[in-house]
Amino acid sequence: MTFSIQKRICIWLLATALGATAGNLNAQKGRIEEPRWFQIYGLRSSLGVYAEGSHTTSTLRDGSSITYNRWFMGPSLSLSSRGSFYHPNLAEWTLAGEFSPGWRTQSVSPGSPMMQRSDFEWLGNFETRVLLMGEKPYRSSLFFAQTHIFRDYDFFTSVTVDSTRYGGDFGYHEGPVPFRISIHRRSEETFGLIQTTSTDDTSITFDAMNTRASGETKLVGIFNQFEREDGGLGGTGTDFNLNLNDIETFGSRAQIDVFSTLGYAYREFSEIPSSEWSAATRLSYQHTPRFSSFYDGSYFRSEVGSGSANNFNGGAGVQHQLYDSLTSTLRAQAANYSSSGGGGSTEFRQYSLSLSESYTKRIGSRSRLNIGGTFTYENNEQQTQGLFIDVPNERHTFPASGGVSPERISLRLPHVLSGTIIVKDNSGAVIPEVGNYTIFQNGAVTHIERVVGSVRIPSGGTILVDYSAEASPSGDYQAWGRLAQIRLDLWDGRVGIYGRLNSVENDAPPELIAQEIWAWAVGAEYNRDWFNVGAEYEAYDSNFSSYRTARLRQSLRFRPDNQSSLTFDFSQNFTRYLDADRQEQFYTAIGRYNRRLTHHLGLNIEGGGSWRIGELVDQTRYAFRPGLDFAMGRLTIKAGYDFTYNQYLNSSETQRHMLFIRARRTF
């Protein structure tokens, strides 16, 4: 990535803003303004110095190591202003942010001379925007922005990100169908790891909307072309997404709501194409204040290479509230799933009927009881040809924990062939397993667990998975499902006790692959203003997979005095996979302290550790981040240090030190 264009633009912006200070500064709002070629209002500026540095070392099991250093120092200038060209109604501009030109050195050891660099660099966090014909319905805007930030992927992983963005927004903002066309360009580099990653993408977005008294229709299309490089591995890709959404309200009492959506997506990364079609609609009818009905249907098709999958769903239901405390729901549903590929094809049809009850009861003035249950009947039919089922683009989202508890998903089909699993991000780019996720099987179920610290899969991230699974013989069977849950909250929620039970049974013949489940969980919580604790135990037994999990958490909040705060958060997770005869433990401890040392000086410290123990998942992580901020009059100083440590599978150890200091005086 080159920064010559952004340098020229930034220098031009600085020269323009500074030169304009000698112009006319006494223009006042509230009166008719005469045309002037250039005007500037309310210029505010500050001058200072900015410096940062990072040192990262990664040591492998064989004793070899890689060291990455990056240092920067230079003056900084902050500007905030607005103005116009010729007249505010023709072109109005805004400029806000910080600019820091300086000298950068960067080195990787061992490495070739091409990986050693020492040159001029322009850092900044600013945005400038020009609004054209702002009072007209066809108003447009142009922008240029640069950011230099520290991005947290979870509590124990932080990187430095330099980004440059520019583009424009055009359209027509009145009439029955206002629309907008946006053309944006982004170049981004990520530092802080041993390997620098870069992304360049160009996107074109079109959105149009029609708003009516009874509803709204919106069309959004996005075309994105991108290029990525990650540690010497890279590729180019193309995304195209088109979505049409509609919301309607009907009836004399506005008692009928209809939501519909249509979608299409095409992805191509390094010549691996995939596409998706989707459609869904839902109608809800509020017949009386206590009685309603709902109807829904959906279709989804996914294609990757020669494989494809189709999914149809349709259902209807009614809901009745006999009392304020008792709600009943009856639902009928039909589903059809089919897939085909090189290994064979399968079709699965399901017809189900479910009844749910929810009861809430106040006990005295400070306690509440919640009881709920669902009974489901299913009739299942499946037809299979071939030995394997190919599944393309199965979408999963990891639970977001910020890296303080396990983030794990399970593939939907049993008996997956682990060698066929391909994990991709939303754009279709393949994500390597090392350092990003682990795959393991417990019985017939395949799990994918995010590695804490992965930058390709952020905490709570979404992945697409292609895989093949063993096909079940053709046949049909019936299944019965039961779900019950209860929760008792005492003393305005200070104490909570809960439990749940889930079971699924069927009459499938032994040769069919059909799941039976018996699972239960119990838990308790205790909450005070300064102290929170919770515990849960779950037992899950199935003919596919069985496990036991215990979860504990504790939080403490203190206010030693009016000038400080102190918090501690702890969690412990214990999981035993019975079929795989495997155990895993996950511990985290995080503390934060903030204090005003004087009227002008503040201190903040946070740090913690994370320990994951188990076969093929051992990982130890630490983080420590102290910081100071000083403010007196128009002078501000901010400094910080960030230390992270990661040991993974006893095969690699990475330490990163990063510090920065910013001093600035406002004029």
Side-chain angles (χ1 to χ4, degrees):
M1 182 188 306
T2 63
F3 290 90
S4 59
I5 295 177
Q6 80 180 59
K7 289 178 184 177
R8 289 194 293 267
I9 295 177
C10 292
I11 292 172
W12 177 84
L13 290 172
L14 283 174
T16 301
L18 293 175
T21 57
N24 190 347
L25 300 179
N26 59 6
Q28 300 178 3
K29 297 182 64 176
R31 64 179 178 84
I32 298 178
E33 295 191 33
E34 296 297 328
R36 296 178 183 175
W37 287 113
F38 185 78
Q39 295 189 75
I40 182 170
Y41 316 112
L43 174 65
R44 293 187 298 174
S45 62
S46 65
L47 189 63
V49 64
Y50 177 75
E52 70 174 37
S54 65
H55 172 80
T56 305
T57 302
S58 182
T59 304
L60 304 180
R61 178 183 293 175
D62 61 7
S64 62
S65 64
I66 302 174
T67 301
Y68 172 80
N69 293 295
R70 186 172 187 268
W71 306 94
F72 173 87
M73 176 176 286
S76 68
L77 173 65
S78 296
L79 292 173
S80 176
S81 185
R82 62 185 182 87
S84 63
F85 298 106
Y86 188 70
H87 193 278
N89 291 342
L90 175 65
E92 190 171 13
W93 58 268
T94 58
L95 171 65
E98 181 181 18
F99 314 83
S100 186
W103 195 256
R104 171 189 62 176
T105 61
Q106 180 175 308
S107 64
V108 178
S109 177
S112 65
M114 296 292 294
M115 304 178 71
Q116 321 303 318
R117 188 164 59 178
S118 182
D119 56 11
F120 174 83
E121 184 178 29
W122 191 294
L123 299 183
N125 285 287
F126 69 89
E127 180 179 61
T128 181
R129 185 173 291 270
V130 178
L131 179 63
L132 304 173
M133 310 298 288
E135 300 296 323
K136 301 296 183 180
Y138 44 83
R139 60 184 176 272
S140 304
S141 65
L142 304 172
F143 75 93
F144 179 86
Q146 181 181 346
T147 58
H148 179 77
I149 61 174
F150 305 116
R151 178 181 295 167
D152 295 328
Y153 288 99
D154 51 49
F155 182 82
F156 300 97
T157 308
S158 177
V159 296
T160 304
V161 180
D162 285 341
S163 177
T164 300
R165 299 176 293 111
Y166 55 90
D169 300 315
F170 316 92
Y172 195 83
H173 305 277
E174 293 184 2
V177 186
F179 69 90
R180 181 180 61 178
I181 300 175
S182 301
I183 304 174
H184 293 178
R185 170 73 177 174
R186 177 177 68 108
S187 297
E188 185 174 281
E189 286 185 319
T190 301
F191 310 91
L193 308 173
I194 293 299
Q195 297 174 332
T196 298
T197 63
S198 63
T199 301
D200 292 271
D201 59 61
T202 302
S203 64
I204 302 175
T205 302
F206 172 83
D207 64 86
M209 179 185 298
N210 174 254
T211 303
R212 308 168 298 281
S214 60
E216 180 180 278
T217 302
K218 186 172 185 178
L219 175 67
V220 179
I222 302 174
F223 174 82
N224 184 40
Q225 193 170 48
F226 60 89
E227 180 178 353
R228 292 180 179 171
E229 185 176 349
D230 187 356
L233 301 176
T236 60
T238 301
D239 290 342
F240 176 70
N241 291 271
L242 186 65
N243 291 279
L244 177 65
N245 300 319
D246 182 76
I247 301 174
E248 301 290 344
T249 300
F250 303 102
S252 58
R253 298 179 287 107
Q255 71 272 27
I256 303 175
D257 292 313
V258 181
F259 173 77
S260 303
T261 180
L262 293 171
Y264 171 76
Y266 176 84
R267 304 181 184 92
E268 183 175 334
F269 183 79
S270 297
E271 300 181 355
I272 302 177
S274 66
S275 57
E276 296 176 353
W277 291 263
S278 62
T281 186
R282 178 180 174 86
L283 184 149
S284 60
Y285 193 128
Q286 191 72 41
H287 300 271
T288 69
R290 293 185 177 272
F291 180 75
S292 62
S293 61
F294 50 91
Y295 316 84
D296 56 71
S298 65
Y299 168 72
F300 180 81
R301 176 177 174 83
S302 178
E303 293 182 355
V304 177
S306 61
S308 64
N310 295 275
N311 198 335
F312 297 87
N313 279 280
V318 293
Q319 187 174 86
H320 181 243
Q321 191 174 13
L322 182 62
Y323 307 106
D324 291 341
S325 58
L326 179 62
T327 302
S328 304
T329 304
L330 179 66
R331 176 176 173 79
Q333 187 172 2
N336 182 287
Y337 173 82
S338 63
S339 68
S340 63
S345 63
T346 185
E347 183 175 6
F348 179 81
R349 291 184 295 273
Q350 182 184 85
Y351 307 93
S352 63
L353 183 68
S354 64
L355 175 65
S356 301
E357 299 287 345
S358 177
Y359 176 75
T360 302
K361 177 67 176 178
R362 290 200 65 88
I363 303 175
S365 60
R366 302 181 60 190
S367 302
R368 182 185 298 269
L369 175 67
N370 292 276
I371 301 176
T374 301
F375 175 81
T376 303
Y377 167 77
E378 298 175 352
N379 184 76
N380 302 287
E381 305 172 3
Q382 60 187 38
Q383 300 292 327
T384 304
Q385 294 181 349
L387 300 176
F388 306 107
I389 302 172
D390 295 327
V391 180
N393 281 351
E394 186 173 284
R395 184 179 297 271
H396 293 275
T397 299
F398 289 94
S401 73
V404 299
S405 63
E407 299 183 20
R408 182 186 310 117
I409 60 95
S410 303
L411 298 182
R412 296 191 180 100
L413 292 186
H415 302 293
V416 171
L417 306 178
S418 59
T420 66
I421 296 174
I422 300 176
V423 179
K424 303 174 292 185
D425 61 20
N426 261 328
S427 67
V430 176
I431 303 174
E433 181 176 358
V434 176
N436 293 297
Y437 60 89
T438 57
I439 299 174
F440 66 94
Q441 292 180 315
N442 182 45
V445 177
T446 300
H447 303 276
I448 299 178
E449 186 163 344
R450 175 184 176 266
V451 173
V452 177
S454 168
V455 297
R456 292 296 304 275
I457 308 176
S459 179
T462 297
I463 59 174
L464 304 175
V465 187
D466 302 338
Y467 63 90
S468 298
E470 295 180 13
S472 174
S474 300
D476 57 283
Y477 61 93
Q478 298 176 342
W480 301 266
R482 291 171 289 271
L483 173 65
Q485 50 193 12
I486 183 172
R487 181 180 178 93
L488 177 63
D489 289 296
L490 304 171
W491 302 296
D492 297 325
R494 179 163 294 180
V495 175
I497 305 170
Y498 62 90
R500 59 181 181 271
L501 175 66
N502 180 30
S503 69
V504 176
E505 301 174 1
N506 61 67
D507 62 359
E511 64 270 14
L512 290 186
I513 300 177
Q515 188 175 28
E516 292 191 328
I517 300 173
W518 178 262
W520 57 272
V522 294
E525 300 173 352
Y526 180 72
N527 303 294
R528 296 292 298 268
D529 293 339
W530 62 276
F531 178 66
N532 306 91
V533 62
E536 180 179 289
Y537 181 81
E538 179 182 7
Y540 183 95
D541 290 300
S542 166
N543 58 331
F544 283 4
S545 173
S546 298
Y547 63 85
R548 303 289 185 268
T549 297
R551 307 178 185 92
L552 305 172
R553 60 172 179 82
Q554 308 85 33
S555 297
L556 298 95
R557 306 283 186 270
F558 301 105
R559 292 284 296 182
D561 51 50
N562 292 333
Q563 303 298 321
S564 63
S565 64
L566 177 65
T567 66
F568 296 99
D569 295 288
F570 306 95
S571 67
Q572 305 85 37
N573 290 265
F574 310 89
T575 303
R576 182 162 60 98
Y577 299 97
L578 304 184
D579 303 275
D581 191 23
R582 167 180 171 171
Q583 298 187 41
E584 183 175 328
Q585 304 169 43
F586 198 109
Y587 306 90
T588 60
I590 296 175
R592 297 178 175 88
Y593 178 68
N594 294 276
R595 179 172 181 82
R596 297 305 305 175
L597 300 175
T598 69
H599 181 69
H600 303 288
L601 182 63
L603 169 70
N604 59 84
I605 301 174
E606 66 176 18
S610 168
W611 301 266
R612 186 181 175 193
I613 304 170
E615 183 181 357
L616 299 179
V617 298
D618 282 351
Q619 186 176 18
T620 301
R621 298 183 64 83
Y622 301 109
F624 178 63
R625 301 185 185 96
L628 290 170
D629 61 89
F630 175 85
M632 177 181 290
R634 296 186 176 185
L635 176 66
T636 59
I637 301 174
K638 189 171 184 179
Y641 170 74
D642 188 335
F643 168 76
T644 57
Y645 172 89
N646 177 27
Q647 184 186 66
Y648 182 60
L649 294 180
N650 293 318
S651 62
S652 65
E653 181 182 86
T654 302
Q655 298 185 43
R656 177 176 182 256
H657 305 263
M658 194 281 293
L659 57 88
F660 75 91
I661 183 169
R662 175 186 288 110
R664 182 168 57 191
R665 188 189 188 283
T666 303
F667 297 97

